[in-house]
Amino acid sequence: MRILICEDSVLLREGLVRLLEHSGHEVVAALADAHALAETVAEQNPELCILDVRLPPSFTDEGIRGALELRRMHPSLPILVLSQYVEEQYASELIGTGGGSSTGGIGYLLKDRVADVSDFVDALERVGKGGTVLDPEVVSQLLTRRRQDERMQRLSDRERTVLASIAEGLSNHAIAQQLFLSLATVEKHITSIFQKLELEQDESGNRRVLAALAHLENNGGSAQ
C-alpha cells in the first residue's frame, strides 16, 4: 500500500516510515507539516494518509483540518488520524464522512494507547481496505458529547436564555430583572432546565454549576 505520512515529530515520523516499510508498505512522502499536503497527495496519489492532529505552525488543529479537506477533495482516500488528544468536534465531523460506498476508510487512534505494533499495522490495513477503526476513548468521548448535545436540544429558547444568564453567574433575582420576568417564573425555568439536563438535586448545590458547564461546553466556552 502506498502511504503518505504527515507528522511533525521527527522520531515518530521516521519510526513510522521504517515500521511501514518493514511491513511491506511503500511510504511515498513523509511531511513535517500540512503546508503542501494537498499538493503532495495530488502528485503522489497515495492509497492511505496518516496524519497527526496538531501540526505546525500553531499546533492546534492543522492536521485534522487537513484530513477533512482531503476527505472533501478525495472522498475515497482512506485516512488514519493519530493524536494525543480527542478533538471532539473535528473527530465527529471526520467520522461522519465515512460509511458511504464511495468513501474510503477512517481511523482515529490515540498515540499513547497504540502499544502493539502488529495491532497498529492491522488497524492501518483495515482502514486501507475501507474499514473504520476508532480508539475506545474516542468513541466514549464522542458519545458523551452527543448525549450532552441531545440534552441541550430539549431546552426551549427561553430556557436557553435563562441558562446563559446562569453561566454568566447571575443570581435568580438578577436574571429576573435582566429578562423582565417574575422571580417565580425564573425559578420555574431553572427547575425545568435541571430536569431536562438530568441534573439530580444534591446537598452541595452543584446543579447550577453543572448546568452552566453544560451550556459552556455546548457553546464552545462562550457564555452567550
Side-chain angles (χ1 to χ4, degrees):
M1 188 161 47
R2 291 166 50 81
I3 299 174
L4 179 148
I5 300 170
C6 191
E7 164 63 55
D8 67 287
S9 168
V10 176
L11 290 177
L12 180 54
R13 187 169 67 247
E14 293 303 316
L16 284 170
V17 170
R18 294 188 180 186
L19 168 63
L20 294 172
E21 290 180 342
H22 179 73
S23 301
H25 300 290
E26 178 186 358
V27 177
V28 297
L31 309 177
D33 57 55
H35 178 68
L37 178 61
E39 294 86 346
T40 306
V41 167
E43 291 172 0
Q44 298 295 333
N45 192 29
E47 296 172 288
L48 180 141
C49 288
I50 300 175
L51 297 98
D52 189 7
V53 166
R54 301 189 176 187
L55 293 168
S58 70
F59 294 96
T60 54
D61 57 10
E62 285 89 347
I64 199 161
R65 284 193 290 108
L68 286 167
E69 182 62 22
L70 286 181
R71 200 63 166 171
R72 285 188 283 269
M73 297 171 62
H74 310 278
S76 63
L77 176 63
I79 294 175
L80 174 60
V81 172
L82 289 177
S83 179
Q84 292 179 319
Y85 317 91
V86 181
E87 298 287 351
E88 295 176 6
Q89 178 181 350
Y90 290 119
S92 180
E93 186 178 348
L94 181 63
I95 293 165
T97 66
S101 58
S102 62
T103 57
I106 285 291
Y108 197 123
L109 299 177
L110 299 184
K111 293 179 179 178
D112 60 358
R113 290 166 62 91
V114 179
D116 187 279
V117 169
S118 62
D119 285 347
F120 171 73
V121 173
D122 177 65
L124 179 143
E125 292 177 346
R126 278 187 284 151
V127 171
K129 293 177 181 177
T132 299
V133 178
L134 303 176
D135 188 285
E137 181 63 23
V138 174
V139 175
S140 175
Q141 291 197 33
L142 291 182
L143 287 176
T144 299
R145 177 188 177 93
R146 180 168 297 177
R147 183 169 179 269
Q148 181 66 64
D149 290 344
E150 289 173 349
R151 288 187 295 171
M152 290 294 295
Q153 290 173 8
R154 301 173 188 171
L155 303 184
S156 67
D157 289 342
R158 175 58 78 183
E159 288 166 350
R160 289 173 184 272
T161 302
V162 171
L163 181 54
S165 298
I166 292 175
E168 292 176 15
L170 299 183
S171 66
N172 290 6
H173 286 282
I175 294 172
Q177 292 178 346
Q178 183 183 66
L179 302 180
F180 302 102
L181 299 173
S182 69
L183 181 59
T185 299
V186 170
E187 291 173 346
K188 181 179 178 181
H189 283 314
I190 292 175
T191 297
S192 178
I193 289 168
F194 290 158
Q195 290 174 343
K196 291 180 178 179
L197 294 183
E198 301 174 9
L199 298 175
E200 300 295 333
Q201 186 171 4
D202 59 27
E203 296 180 357
S204 64
N206 284 336
R207 287 195 300 175
R208 200 175 184 93
V209 174
L210 293 174
L213 287 174
H215 170 79
L216 293 173
E217 289 173 1
N218 196 69
N219 289 274
S222 171
Q224 294 298 321

